[in-house]
Amino acid sequence: MKKILSSKRNKMIALVALLIFTLAIGITLALMSTKTDALTNTFSIKPVESEIEEHISGMNKAPVVRNTGKEGDADCYVRLRVTISPDNVEGREDGGLFTLDYNTTDWTKKDDGFWYYKEALAPGKATTPLFTKVEWNQKDDENNPDYSNFKEFDISLYQESVQTLALNEDGYEVTDAAGVWKIFDDQTTPKTPEP
């Protein structure tokens, strides 16, 4: 009887071992034959499109920048540069012929010469005007504009816009306007080679 129990026990152990071996082979074959598709993370940049619109009335002009993107496109930050030629005709000092009434409530001028709009623009939205009138500085005795010293001049406008989101060099999101513009300028300004 002892031999039979021993034989049953051996059979049971052999059966369990065979079951484990069969299960291991089946799992290995299943894993080796499983085919997976490559996972692709697609990142797309939403377009940012903007343009200057000038509302002109006589000598006055009111430039705004409009985000011309479609619904679903990105919000953007904008900046505007004003170039006046010749450069000595604008301002009250040094006998300038006219003055622009810059909107310092919604716009901020920085050392790089650009005027930065303080808010982000959604697609279809426009900034407030950077200025609305060209005020002639020279007046006659009745306080009317005196154009006797008139010189031809040009007011040129140039604008740029960027998405309201950028990634810094460490891969972290930057959403504040100053940080986004710094990343944009660092990536688009040519580096001067060191001697």
Side-chain angles (χ1 to χ4, degrees):
M1 175 115 182
K2 211 173 190 184
K3 275 188 172 189
I4 296 175
L5 283 177
S6 175
S7 173
K8 278 186 176 181
R9 185 172 165 218
N10 286 342
K11 287 181 185 177
M12 186 64 90
I13 291 174
L15 186 60
V16 168
L18 182 63
L19 183 63
I20 290 173
F21 179 74
T22 304
L23 200 59
I25 296 256
I27 291 172
T28 302
L29 288 175
L31 289 174
M32 289 174 62
S33 67
T34 301
K35 191 186 215 183
T36 60
D37 293 330
L39 179 61
T40 304
N41 288 331
T42 303
F43 297 94
S44 62
I45 297 174
K46 291 183 177 181
V48 174
E49 297 176 20
S50 58
E51 63 183 32
I52 297 171
E53 294 177 359
E54 292 182 283
H55 306 284
I56 300 173
S57 172
M59 278 194 59
N60 293 325
K61 65 163 58 181
V64 300
V65 178
R66 181 174 301 280
N67 180 341
T68 58
K70 299 179 221 59
E71 187 177 328
D73 287 349
D75 291 358
C76 66
Y77 294 122
V78 299
R79 63 185 179 184
L80 191 58
R81 179 180 287 150
V82 179
T83 305
I84 299 171
S85 178
D87 60 2
N88 64 345
V89 296
E90 195 263 335
R92 296 205 183 276
E93 306 83 36
D94 301 326
L97 298 177
F98 64 90
T99 305
L100 299 176
D101 65 333
Y102 289 108
N103 174 353
T104 57
T105 302
D106 301 321
W107 295 83
T108 302
K109 188 171 186 184
K110 303 243 174 133
D111 292 338
D112 60 6
F114 278 102
W115 285 88
Y116 290 79
Y117 194 63
K118 293 179 180 179
E119 301 294 325
L121 287 182
K125 299 295 182 186
T127 65
T128 57
L130 176 58
F131 54 87
T132 56
K133 65 181 176 180
V134 178
E135 182 182 345
W136 198 254
N137 293 338
Q138 299 179 3
K139 308 286 183 186
D140 63 16
D141 294 338
E142 296 172 2
N143 206 26
N144 294 317
D146 178 6
Y147 298 112
S148 61
N149 292 328
F150 182 83
K151 297 176 189 171
E152 194 170 303
F153 61 89
D154 290 317
I155 300 174
S156 301
L157 304 168
Y158 169 76
Q159 67 90 22
E160 293 179 338
S161 59
V162 293
Q163 283 191 33
T164 56
L165 170 69
L167 298 178
N168 65 17
E169 58 190 28
D170 297 325
Y172 294 107
E173 290 184 0
V174 176
T175 57
D176 67 291
V180 171
W181 280 115
K182 181 176 180 343
I183 291 169
F184 174 80
D185 288 338
D186 288 348
Q187 291 177 353
T188 58
T189 304
K191 305 291 184 243
T192 308
E194 295 185 23

